[in-house]
């Protein structure tokens, strides 16, 4: 069964610190993996999209990595800001389908 | 570009009532979809459409109907609301095509409570 699992479920860090969020998937055959940021009360917004041939992609202070062999991805946030407080959702797409498999997200809280 | 818009933002219904959640996009995207988001669960696909006149069921279609008469609009109808349909509903759109960056754009969501 195609699944996406994220860890941790929630995370609290202090402003200015770095953090890493994890995503493991069992989706096959793999097409691409996305990370979304969802602020409270808003829709998800895309941060990065990676295909199997890409192992690192950055978007400002956000850096996503992908290991297609172990079916793992991580999202690293550098020098966190209060505005980084949000849920981060990992989403995987299987080849030959337009449907996406969503993880349950990691809830990040950044405190001053 | 307004992107993906949804109305209403909040709605309270009584069990058995019907209503339509509106969704529109101005990016000329072929693919539109409806999701529901419940606490502790990932977004779940309700219905989707790959173009005007074409719709299909997703993971959790029961109790919902959709139609796609134009490229821009994709309304979601609740036929007879039930408390189990209390959720946050998101509409999304993207271009079609595997192997391309078919980034999906989400609307702001509709928070629905069924009493």
């Amino acid at each position: 069964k195609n699944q996406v699992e994220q860890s941790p479920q929630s995370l609290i860090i202090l402003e200015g610190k770095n953090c890493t969020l994890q995503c493991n998937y069992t989706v096959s055959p793999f097409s691409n993996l996305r990370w979304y940021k969802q602020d409270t009360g808003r829709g998800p917004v895309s941060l990065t999209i990676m295909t199997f041939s890409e192992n690192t992609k950055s978007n400002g202070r956000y850096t996503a990595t992908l290991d297609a062999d172990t079916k793992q991805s991580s999202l690293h946030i550098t020098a966190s800001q209060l505005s980084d407080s949000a849920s981060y959702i990992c989403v995987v797409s299987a080849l030959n389908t337009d449907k996406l498999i969503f993880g349950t997200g990691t809830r990040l809280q950044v405190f001053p | 570009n307004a992107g993906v818009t949804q109305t209403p933002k909040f709605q309270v219904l009584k069990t058995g009532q019907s209503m339509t959640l509106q969704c529109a996009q101005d990016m000329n995207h072929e693919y539109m979809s409806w999701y529901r988001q419940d606490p502790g669960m990932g977004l779940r696909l309700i219905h989707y459409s790959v173009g005007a006149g074409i719709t299909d069921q997703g993971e959790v279609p029961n109790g919902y109907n959709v139609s796609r008469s134009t490229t821009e609009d994709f309304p979601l109808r609740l036929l007879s609301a039930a408390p189990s349909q209390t959720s946050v509903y998101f509409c999304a759109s993207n271009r079609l095509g595997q192997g391309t960056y078919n980034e999906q754009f989400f609307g702001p969501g509709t928070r629905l409570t069924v009493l």
Side-chain angles (χ1 to χ4, degrees):
Chain A
K1 182 180 179 182
N2 289 331
Q3 286 186 314
V4 176
E5 295 184 352
Q6 294 186 243
S7 62
Q9 279 190 322
S10 61
L11 183 62
I12 296 175
I13 61 174
L14 293 177
E15 186 179 15
K17 297 297 186 182
N18 303 337
C19 67
T20 300
L21 315 180
Q22 300 291 342
C23 173
N24 295 337
Y25 62 92
T26 58
V27 177
S28 183
F30 173 83
S31 175
N32 59 70
L33 184 145
R34 308 143 188 249
W35 283 94
Y36 286 87
K37 178 186 180 188
Q38 184 177 20
D39 293 315
T40 301
R42 294 178 176 261
V45 174
S46 179
L47 292 174
T48 63
I49 303 175
M50 290 186 292
T51 63
F52 73 94
S53 61
E54 299 173 293
N55 53 24
T56 302
K57 187 164 254 189
S58 292
N59 178 358
R61 294 179 297 101
Y62 301 100
T63 299
T65 65
L66 173 65
D67 186 334
D69 292 332
T70 62
K71 298 186 177 180
Q72 296 179 324
S73 176
S74 65
L75 180 69
H76 185 74
I77 304 174
T78 304
S80 61
Q81 300 177 356
L82 299 179
S83 59
D84 293 330
S85 294
S87 287
Y88 292 84
I89 303 172
C90 177
V91 185
V92 181
S93 174
L95 207 58
N96 299 323
T97 176
D98 294 303
K99 298 178 185 177
L100 304 176
I101 299 99
F102 288 79
T104 56
T106 292
R107 175 74 181 154
L108 174 66
Q109 294 177 274
V110 181
F111 286 101
Chain B
N1 276 353
V4 180
T5 58
Q6 291 183 237
T7 57
K9 194 166 180 60
F10 301 96
Q11 183 70 50
V12 179
L13 292 178
K14 294 181 180 179
T15 296
Q17 287 184 316
S18 62
M19 79 159 295
T20 299
L21 280 63
Q22 301 292 343
C23 173
Q25 53 93 9
D26 61 0
M27 296 172 281
N28 202 32
H29 287 164
E30 303 93 338
Y31 189 95
M32 296 187 73
S33 49
W34 276 102
Y35 295 89
R36 59 178 289 172
Q37 186 175 39
D38 300 295
M41 303 184 75
L43 277 80
R44 292 183 292 169
L45 182 65
I46 304 172
H47 284 285
Y48 66 98
S49 168
V50 297
I54 306 169
T55 63
D56 206 347
Q57 296 182 348
E59 182 185 356
V60 288
N62 291 342
Y64 307 95
N65 271 359
V66 291
S67 60
R68 184 96 178 269
S69 56
T70 66
T71 299
E72 294 79 19
D73 300 299
F74 191 43
L76 177 72
R77 282 183 287 278
L78 279 70
L79 309 173
S80 178
S84 61
Q85 293 178 305
T86 293
S87 187
V88 182
Y89 291 86
F90 289 100
C91 179
S93 76
N94 56 272
R95 298 179 66 84
L96 277 177
Q98 281 295 317
T100 61
Y101 288 110
N102 49 344
E103 181 180 356
Q104 195 170 40
F105 295 85
F106 285 84
T110 294
R111 185 174 293 275
L112 175 68
T113 301
V114 183
L115 302 174

